[in-house]
PDB file of all heavy atoms in Angstrom:
ATOM      1  N   GLY A  21      72.448  70.897 147.921  1.00 92.00           N
ATOM      2  CA  GLY A  21      73.797  70.396 147.680  1.00 92.00           C
ATOM      3  C   GLY A  21      74.138  69.216 148.570  1.00 92.00           C
ATOM      4  O   GLY A  21      74.820  68.281 148.147  1.00 92.00           O
ATOM      5  N   PRO A  24      72.644  65.638 147.080  1.00 95.00           N
ATOM      6  CA  PRO A  24      73.453  65.014 146.029  1.00 95.00           C
ATOM      7  C   PRO A  24      74.846  64.592 146.512  1.00 95.00           C
ATOM      8  O   PRO A  24      75.355  63.547 146.104  1.00 95.00           O
ATOM      9  CB  PRO A  24      73.547  66.101 144.949  1.00 95.00           C
ATOM     10  CG  PRO A  24      72.390  66.981 145.200  1.00 95.00           C
ATOM     11  CD  PRO A  24      72.183  66.984 146.674  1.00 95.00           C
ATOM     12  N   PHE A  25      75.455  65.414 147.372  1.00 97.00           N
ATOM     13  CA  PHE A  25      76.764  65.061 147.927  1.00 97.00           C
ATOM     14  C   PHE A  25      76.666  63.733 148.681  1.00 97.00           C
ATOM     15  O   PHE A  25      77.500  62.829 148.501  1.00 97.00           O
ATOM     16  CB  PHE A  25      77.233  66.164 148.874  1.00 97.00           C
ATOM     17  CG  PHE A  25      78.572  65.900 149.526  1.00 97.00           C
ATOM     18  CD1 PHE A  25      79.735  66.345 148.952  1.00 97.00           C
ATOM     19  CD2 PHE A  25      78.653  65.202 150.732  1.00 97.00           C
ATOM     20  CE1 PHE A  25      80.969  66.108 149.549  1.00 97.00           C
ATOM     21  CE2 PHE A  25      79.873  64.959 151.332  1.00 97.00           C
ATOM     22  CZ  PHE A  25      81.040  65.412 150.740  1.00 97.00           C
ATOM     23  N   THR A  26      75.646  63.605 149.509  1.00 97.00           N
ATOM     24  CA  THR A  26      75.452  62.381 150.285  1.00 97.00           C
ATOM     25  C   THR A  26      75.177  61.195 149.379  1.00 97.00           C
ATOM     26  O   THR A  26      75.691  60.089 149.607  1.00 97.00           O
ATOM     27  CB  THR A  26      74.288  62.562 151.284  1.00 97.00           C
ATOM     28  OG1 THR A  26      74.573  63.693 152.127  1.00 97.00           O
ATOM     29  CG2 THR A  26      74.104  61.333 152.142  1.00 97.00           C
ATOM     30  N   ALA A  27      74.365  61.406 148.351  1.00 97.00           N
ATOM     31  CA  ALA A  27      74.065  60.326 147.414  1.00 97.00           C
ATOM     32  C   ALA A  27      75.337  59.831 146.731  1.00 97.00           C
ATOM     33  O   ALA A  27      75.545  58.619 146.582  1.00 97.00           O
ATOM     34  CB  ALA A  27      73.059  60.800 146.372  1.00 97.00           C
ATOM     35  N   GLY A  28      76.202  60.763 146.319  1.00 97.00           N
ATOM     36  CA  GLY A  28      77.457  60.367 145.682  1.00 97.00           C
ATOM     37  C   GLY A  28      78.343  59.572 146.609  1.00 97.00           C
ATOM     38  O   GLY A  28      78.926  58.549 146.216  1.00 97.00           O
ATOM     39  N   ALA A  29      78.445  60.024 147.871  1.00 97.00           N
ATOM     40  CA  ALA A  29      79.268  59.306 148.850  1.00 97.00           C
ATOM     41  C   ALA A  29      78.700  57.915 149.132  1.00 97.00           C
ATOM     42  O   ALA A  29      79.455  56.934 149.222  1.00 97.00           O
ATOM     43  CB  ALA A  29      79.354  60.112 150.144  1.00 97.00           C
ATOM     44  N   MET A  51      82.539  71.726 150.333  1.00 96.00           N
ATOM     45  CA  MET A  51      81.513  71.965 149.331  1.00 96.00           C
ATOM     46  C   MET A  51      80.455  72.948 149.822  1.00 96.00           C
ATOM     47  O   MET A  51      79.969  73.807 149.077  1.00 96.00           O
ATOM     48  CB  MET A  51      80.828  70.663 148.922  1.00 96.00           C
ATOM     49  CG  MET A  51      80.102  70.784 147.589  1.00 96.00           C
ATOM     50  SD  MET A  51      78.712  69.671 147.413  1.00 96.00           S
ATOM     51  CE  MET A  51      77.486  70.533 148.384  1.00 96.00           C
ATOM     52  N   ILE A 156      76.195  70.844 134.869  1.00 96.00           N
ATOM     53  CA  ILE A 156      77.494  70.444 135.413  1.00 96.00           C
ATOM     54  C   ILE A 156      77.462  70.456 136.937  1.00 96.00           C
ATOM     55  O   ILE A 156      77.952  69.542 137.595  1.00 96.00           O
ATOM     56  CB  ILE A 156      78.600  71.373 134.884  1.00 96.00           C
ATOM     57  CG1 ILE A 156      78.770  71.195 133.371  1.00 96.00           C
ATOM     58  CG2 ILE A 156      79.926  71.108 135.602  1.00 96.00           C
ATOM     59  CD1 ILE A 156      79.687  72.225 132.726  1.00 96.00           C
ATOM     60  N   THR A 157      76.844  71.506 137.505  1.00 94.00           N
ATOM     61  CA  THR A 157      76.801  71.651 138.963  1.00 94.00           C
ATOM     62  C   THR A 157      76.026  70.517 139.616  1.00 94.00           C
ATOM     63  O   THR A 157      76.507  69.864 140.546  1.00 94.00           O
ATOM     64  CB  THR A 157      76.162  72.996 139.339  1.00 94.00           C
ATOM     65  OG1 THR A 157      76.968  74.059 138.802  1.00 94.00           O
ATOM     66  CG2 THR A 157      76.075  73.145 140.846  1.00 94.00           C
ATOM     67  N   PHE A 158      74.800  70.278 139.140  1.00 92.00           N
ATOM     68  CA  PHE A 158      73.933  69.286 139.773  1.00 92.00           C
ATOM     69  C   PHE A 158      74.246  67.858 139.340  1.00 92.00           C
ATOM     70  O   PHE A 158      73.941  66.914 140.067  1.00 92.00           O
ATOM     71  CB  PHE A 158      72.462  69.606 139.468  1.00 92.00           C
ATOM     72  CG  PHE A 158      71.958  70.821 140.187  1.00 92.00           C
ATOM     73  CD1 PHE A 158      71.849  72.032 139.540  1.00 92.00           C
ATOM     74  CD2 PHE A 158      71.599  70.753 141.518  1.00 92.00           C
ATOM     75  CE1 PHE A 158      71.394  73.161 140.197  1.00 92.00           C
ATOM     76  CE2 PHE A 158      71.140  71.873 142.194  1.00 92.00           C
ATOM     77  CZ  PHE A 158      71.030  73.084 141.536  1.00 92.00           C
ATOM     78  N   GLY A 159      74.830  67.702 138.167  1.00 94.00           N
ATOM     79  CA  GLY A 159      75.116  66.357 137.688  1.00 94.00           C
ATOM     80  C   GLY A 159      76.511  65.869 137.996  1.00 94.00           C
ATOM     81  O   GLY A 159      76.727  64.672 138.179  1.00 94.00           O
ATOM     82  N   LEU A 160      77.456  66.811 138.079  1.00 95.00           N
ATOM     83  CA  LEU A 160      78.859  66.427 138.245  1.00 95.00           C
ATOM     84  C   LEU A 160      79.463  66.922 139.553  1.00 95.00           C
ATOM     85  O   LEU A 160      79.990  66.131 140.344  1.00 95.00           O
ATOM     86  CB  LEU A 160      79.672  66.957 137.066  1.00 95.00           C
ATOM     87  CG  LEU A 160      81.157  66.585 137.022  1.00 95.00           C
ATOM     88  CD1 LEU A 160      81.316  65.079 136.875  1.00 95.00           C
ATOM     89  CD2 LEU A 160      81.859  67.299 135.865  1.00 95.00           C
ATOM     90  N   LEU A 161      79.380  68.215 139.823  1.00 95.00           N
ATOM     91  CA  LEU A 161      80.107  68.778 140.953  1.00 95.00           C
ATOM     92  C   LEU A 161      79.554  68.343 142.308  1.00 95.00           C
ATOM     93  O   LEU A 161      80.321  67.907 143.173  1.00 95.00           O
ATOM     94  CB  LEU A 161      80.115  70.306 140.858  1.00 95.00           C
ATOM     95  CG  LEU A 161      80.896  70.900 139.685  1.00 95.00           C
ATOM     96  CD1 LEU A 161      80.778  72.415 139.681  1.00 95.00           C
ATOM     97  CD2 LEU A 161      82.365  70.493 139.772  1.00 95.00           C
ATOM     98  N   MET A 162      78.257  68.479 142.514  1.00 96.00           N
ATOM     99  CA  MET A 162      77.701  68.168 143.835  1.00 96.00           C
ATOM    100  C   MET A 162      77.789  66.683 144.176  1.00 96.00           C
ATOM    101  O   MET A 162      78.376  66.301 145.197  1.00 96.00           O
ATOM    102  CB  MET A 162      76.262  68.677 143.934  1.00 96.00           C
ATOM    103  CG  MET A 162      76.161  70.192 143.994  1.00 96.00           C
ATOM    104  SD  MET A 162      74.452  70.750 144.128  1.00 96.00           S
ATOM    105  CE  MET A 162      74.706  72.513 144.394  1.00 96.00           C
ATOM    106  N   PRO A 163      77.226  65.790 143.349  1.00 97.00           N
ATOM    107  CA  PRO A 163      77.387  64.368 143.667  1.00 97.00           C
ATOM    108  C   PRO A 163      78.823  63.896 143.495  1.00 97.00           C
ATOM    109  O   PRO A 163      79.286  63.003 144.204  1.00 97.00           O
ATOM    110  CB  PRO A 163      76.447  63.668 142.676  1.00 97.00           C
ATOM    111  CG  PRO A 163      76.322  64.624 141.543  1.00 97.00           C
ATOM    112  CD  PRO A 163      76.395  65.983 142.150  1.00 97.00           C
ATOM    113  N   GLY A 164      79.555  64.526 142.562  1.00 96.00           N
ATOM    114  CA  GLY A 164      80.945  64.139 142.336  1.00 96.00           C
ATOM    115  C   GLY A 164      81.823  64.423 143.530  1.00 96.00           C
ATOM    116  O   GLY A 164      82.746  63.658 143.837  1.00 96.00           O
ATOM    117  N   ALA A 165      81.553  65.518 144.233  1.00 96.00           N
ATOM    118  CA  ALA A 165      82.321  65.833 145.433  1.00 96.00           C
ATOM    119  C   ALA A 165      82.140  64.738 146.483  1.00 96.00           C
ATOM    120  O   ALA A 165      83.113  64.301 147.113  1.00 96.00           O
ATOM    121  CB  ALA A 165      81.889  67.183 145.988  1.00 96.00           C
ATOM    122  N   GLY A 166      80.898  64.280 146.666  1.00 97.00           N
ATOM    123  CA  GLY A 166      80.650  63.211 147.628  1.00 97.00           C
ATOM    124  C   GLY A 166      81.310  61.904 147.219  1.00 97.00           C
ATOM    125  O   GLY A 166      81.912  61.200 148.042  1.00 97.00           O
ATOM    126  N   TYR A 167      81.206  61.573 145.949  1.00 97.00           N
ATOM    127  CA  TYR A 167      81.819  60.337 145.439  1.00 97.00           C
ATOM    128  C   TYR A 167      83.331  60.398 145.587  1.00 97.00           C
ATOM    129  O   TYR A 167      83.976  59.421 145.999  1.00 97.00           O
ATOM    130  CB  TYR A 167      81.423  60.154 143.975  1.00 97.00           C
ATOM    131  CG  TYR A 167      81.654  58.772 143.417  1.00 97.00           C
ATOM    132  CD1 TYR A 167      80.621  57.843 143.382  1.00 97.00           C
ATOM    133  CD2 TYR A 167      82.893  58.387 142.913  1.00 97.00           C
ATOM    134  CE1 TYR A 167      80.809  56.566 142.850  1.00 97.00           C
ATOM    135  CE2 TYR A 167      83.101  57.128 142.384  1.00 97.00           C
ATOM    136  CZ  TYR A 167      82.055  56.213 142.358  1.00 97.00           C
ATOM    137  OH  TYR A 167      82.264  54.944 141.841  1.00 97.00           O
ATOM    138  N   PHE A 168      83.901  61.544 145.270  1.00 95.00           N
ATOM    139  CA  PHE A 168      85.345  61.733 145.356  1.00 95.00           C
ATOM    140  C   PHE A 168      85.829  61.596 146.793  1.00 95.00           C
ATOM    141  O   PHE A 168      86.844  60.952 147.079  1.00 95.00           O
ATOM    142  CB  PHE A 168      85.719  63.111 144.818  1.00 95.00           C
ATOM    143  CG  PHE A 168      87.095  63.199 144.220  1.00 95.00           C
ATOM    144  CD1 PHE A 168      87.323  63.947 143.080  1.00 95.00           C
ATOM    145  CD2 PHE A 168      88.165  62.534 144.792  1.00 95.00           C
ATOM    146  CE1 PHE A 168      88.586  64.044 142.519  1.00 95.00           C
ATOM    147  CE2 PHE A 168      89.442  62.624 144.243  1.00 95.00           C
ATOM    148  CZ  PHE A 168      89.647  63.377 143.108  1.00 95.00           C
ATOM    149  N   LEU A 174      87.167  59.712 140.603  1.00 94.00           N
ATOM    150  CA  LEU A 174      85.916  59.714 139.846  1.00 94.00           C
ATOM    151  C   LEU A 174      86.095  58.706 138.715  1.00 94.00           C
ATOM    152  O   LEU A 174      86.905  58.930 137.810  1.00 94.00           O
ATOM    153  CB  LEU A 174      85.617  61.111 139.286  1.00 94.00           C
ATOM    154  CG  LEU A 174      85.337  62.209 140.310  1.00 94.00           C
ATOM    155  CD1 LEU A 174      85.110  63.540 139.614  1.00 94.00           C
ATOM    156  CD2 LEU A 174      84.136  61.865 141.172  1.00 94.00           C
ATOM    157  N   PHE A 178      80.814  56.507 138.309  1.00 97.00           N
ATOM    158  CA  PHE A 178      80.264  57.813 138.657  1.00 97.00           C
ATOM    159  C   PHE A 178      79.818  58.582 137.421  1.00 97.00           C
ATOM    160  O   PHE A 178      78.750  59.196 137.413  1.00 97.00           O
ATOM    161  CB  PHE A 178      81.271  58.669 139.432  1.00 97.00           C
ATOM    162  CG  PHE A 178      80.781  60.087 139.552  1.00 97.00           C
ATOM    163  CD1 PHE A 178      79.747  60.394 140.419  1.00 97.00           C
ATOM    164  CD2 PHE A 178      81.291  61.088 138.730  1.00 97.00           C
ATOM    165  CE1 PHE A 178      79.239  61.684 140.494  1.00 97.00           C
ATOM    166  CE2 PHE A 178      80.793  62.374 138.796  1.00 97.00           C
ATOM    167  CZ  PHE A 178      79.765  62.670 139.690  1.00 97.00           C
ATOM    168  N   PHE A 181      76.525  57.531 136.305  1.00 97.00           N
ATOM    169  CA  PHE A 181      75.498  58.038 137.214  1.00 97.00           C
ATOM    170  C   PHE A 181      75.235  59.516 136.953  1.00 97.00           C
ATOM    171  O   PHE A 181      74.110  60.012 137.108  1.00 97.00           O
ATOM    172  CB  PHE A 181      75.969  57.824 138.657  1.00 97.00           C
ATOM    173  CG  PHE A 181      74.929  58.114 139.709  1.00 97.00           C
ATOM    174  CD1 PHE A 181      73.624  57.643 139.599  1.00 97.00           C
ATOM    175  CD2 PHE A 181      75.269  58.859 140.831  1.00 97.00           C
ATOM    176  CE1 PHE A 181      72.678  57.894 140.583  1.00 97.00           C
ATOM    177  CE2 PHE A 181      74.335  59.120 141.826  1.00 97.00           C
ATOM    178  CZ  PHE A 181      73.036  58.645 141.698  1.00 97.00           C
ATOM    179  N   ALA A 182      76.267  60.241 136.526  1.00 97.00           N
ATOM    180  CA  ALA A 182      76.141  61.678 136.294  1.00 97.00           C
ATOM    181  C   ALA A 182      75.250  62.007 135.101  1.00 97.00           C
ATOM    182  O   ALA A 182      74.732  63.128 135.005  1.00 97.00           O
ATOM    183  CB  ALA A 182      77.528  62.301 136.083  1.00 97.00           C
ATOM    184  N   LEU A 185      71.694  62.467 136.324  1.00 97.00           N
ATOM    185  CA  LEU A 185      71.718  63.582 137.266  1.00 97.00           C
ATOM    186  C   LEU A 185      71.858  64.916 136.540  1.00 97.00           C
ATOM    187  O   LEU A 185      71.263  65.925 136.943  1.00 97.00           O
ATOM    188  CB  LEU A 185      72.859  63.406 138.268  1.00 97.00           C
ATOM    189  CG  LEU A 185      72.849  62.120 139.097  1.00 97.00           C
ATOM    190  CD1 LEU A 185      73.894  62.198 140.196  1.00 97.00           C
ATOM    191  CD2 LEU A 185      71.472  61.847 139.684  1.00 97.00           C
ATOM    192  N   TRP A 293      65.486  62.889 144.761  1.00 96.00           N
ATOM    193  CA  TRP A 293      66.757  62.861 145.470  1.00 96.00           C
ATOM    194  C   TRP A 293      66.596  62.331 146.891  1.00 96.00           C
ATOM    195  O   TRP A 293      67.405  61.516 147.356  1.00 96.00           O
ATOM    196  CB  TRP A 293      67.349  64.268 145.529  1.00 96.00           C
ATOM    197  CG  TRP A 293      68.267  64.607 144.400  1.00 96.00           C
ATOM    198  CD1 TRP A 293      68.102  65.591 143.477  1.00 96.00           C
ATOM    199  CD2 TRP A 293      69.503  63.976 144.073  1.00 96.00           C
ATOM    200  NE1 TRP A 293      69.166  65.615 142.598  1.00 96.00           N
ATOM    201  CE2 TRP A 293      70.040  64.631 142.949  1.00 96.00           C
ATOM    202  CE3 TRP A 293      70.213  62.905 144.626  1.00 96.00           C
ATOM    203  CZ2 TRP A 293      71.247  64.264 142.361  1.00 96.00           C
ATOM    204  CZ3 TRP A 293      71.425  62.538 144.054  1.00 96.00           C
ATOM    205  CH2 TRP A 293      71.925  63.214 142.928  1.00 96.00           C
TER     206      TRP A 293
END
Side-chain angles (χ1 to χ4, degrees):
F25 179 92
T26 303
M51 199 207 78
I156 294 171
T157 299
F158 289 101
L160 183 64
L161 294 178
M162 289 181 173
Y167 196 96
F168 209 141
L174 295 178
F178 169 74
F181 188 46
L185 302 190
W293 269 118

